[in-house]
Amino acid sequence: MAPIVSEEYKRKKKKEILAGALACFAKKGFQAATIDDIVAYSGISKGAIYNYFKSKEEIYLELMNEQTEATNARLLERISNLSSAEEKLEYLFDLYREMSPFSQERKDKIVVHLEFTLHSSRDENLNRILNERGKKFFLKLITDILEEGQAAGEFRPDADPNYVAGMFWTIMDGAMLHSVLNEEYPYRTIIDYVKSLVLKDLQQD
């Protein structure tokens, strides 16, 4: 008879696997890292890993979901305390401006995420999952703020929230990519400039 494993044990083991995988992805990159690398780093057998995850893609998706849900919950709590949509949008620009894309830890995470995103473009199911995640957590965050601002008369009514949200994340992703490629890239200056353009464009005439 197989031993009974508690839910707490399962959660703990899963977290150990995810921690080992994150370290391996950061060190070797998503493409180069293997399940064997995760085994070597975590000390957990390959069989045990496959009890929880079918592939390294599934492991990375779990990592993303954990990080995104926790971050999104904290972010929504913070912006809910701001009194206007404009303040909320400014807060998001400033939040990303103050991130440190030049630190090695941050660079590693950006590179791994970009690797996985490109990898997913060749897999219809992964691509669908990432697109749904983007709509649920990222695009909705901005469109909700824009629609709130339009309803309150803060932003011009003919601005398309979906286009503004798309532009926001395009700029953030692009700025982080360039900061990884070039340490002299003026990351914060670019964010400030785009912030001023967006806020000016959204103003009522």
Side-chain angles (χ1 to χ4, degrees):
M1 179 181 293
I4 298 175
V5 179
S6 69
E7 289 301 316
E8 180 60 30
Y9 175 87
K10 291 179 182 178
R11 282 193 294 271
K12 181 180 178 183
K13 190 59 64 177
K14 199 171 184 179
K15 283 188 175 296
E16 289 174 3
I17 295 169
L18 291 173
L22 181 60
C24 289
F25 292 152
K27 183 178 180 180
K28 301 189 71 171
F30 177 80
Q31 293 282 20
T34 65
I35 294 293
D36 286 333
D37 291 324
I38 299 172
V39 168
Y41 189 91
S42 66
I44 299 171
S45 71
K46 185 182 289 189
I49 290 175
Y50 280 123
N51 280 337
Y52 294 93
F53 302 100
K54 297 176 182 178
S55 64
K56 68 176 183 178
E57 286 82 3
E58 194 172 293
I59 291 173
Y60 190 74
L61 285 174
E62 181 75 12
L63 281 168
M64 277 202 311
N65 286 336
E66 279 198 351
Q67 293 172 351
T68 302
E69 289 181 8
T71 301
N72 200 56
R74 290 194 299 270
L75 186 55
L76 289 174
E77 183 180 359
R78 289 171 186 168
I79 65 175
S80 68
N81 294 318
L82 300 175
S83 59
S84 71
E86 183 173 354
E87 285 180 318
K88 293 175 183 179
L89 193 56
E90 286 185 333
Y91 175 81
L92 290 178
F93 272 108
D94 294 342
L95 179 68
Y96 276 86
R97 182 191 184 279
E98 294 310 311
M99 286 184 179
S100 182
F102 301 104
S103 71
Q104 193 58 52
E105 180 182 3
R106 185 67 181 160
K107 279 185 178 182
D108 288 341
K109 289 182 178 179
I110 294 170
V111 170
V112 172
H113 179 67
L114 290 173
E115 278 187 316
F116 184 79
T117 301
L118 290 173
H119 173 73
S120 72
S121 69
R122 301 182 182 91
D123 184 300
E124 184 177 346
N125 185 53
L126 285 177
N127 187 252
R128 176 185 57 77
I129 291 171
L130 286 192
N131 282 330
E132 289 177 354
R133 172 179 173 269
K135 292 175 184 176
K136 177 181 178 182
F137 291 108
F138 300 103
L139 293 175
K140 188 178 186 305
L141 177 64
I142 307 297
T143 56
D144 283 353
I145 292 173
L146 266 291
E147 289 170 359
E148 177 188 333
Q150 289 173 323
E154 294 178 62
F155 302 146
R156 59 185 179 87
D158 59 331
D160 191 315
N162 291 301
Y163 291 160
V164 177
M167 182 179 68
F168 180 92
W169 293 115
T170 297
I171 294 298
M172 295 307 168
D173 288 344
M176 289 187 182
L177 170 61
H178 284 287
S179 70
V180 169
L181 298 174
N182 176 15
E183 291 188 355
E184 297 181 358
Y185 179 76
Y187 174 82
R188 292 185 174 87
T189 302
I190 294 293
I191 300 300
D192 285 339
Y193 183 63
V194 174
K195 172 186 171 183
S196 67
L197 289 179
V198 170
L199 292 174
K200 182 178 180 180
D201 180 68
L202 290 173
Q203 288 176 357
Q204 293 270 30
D205 293 331

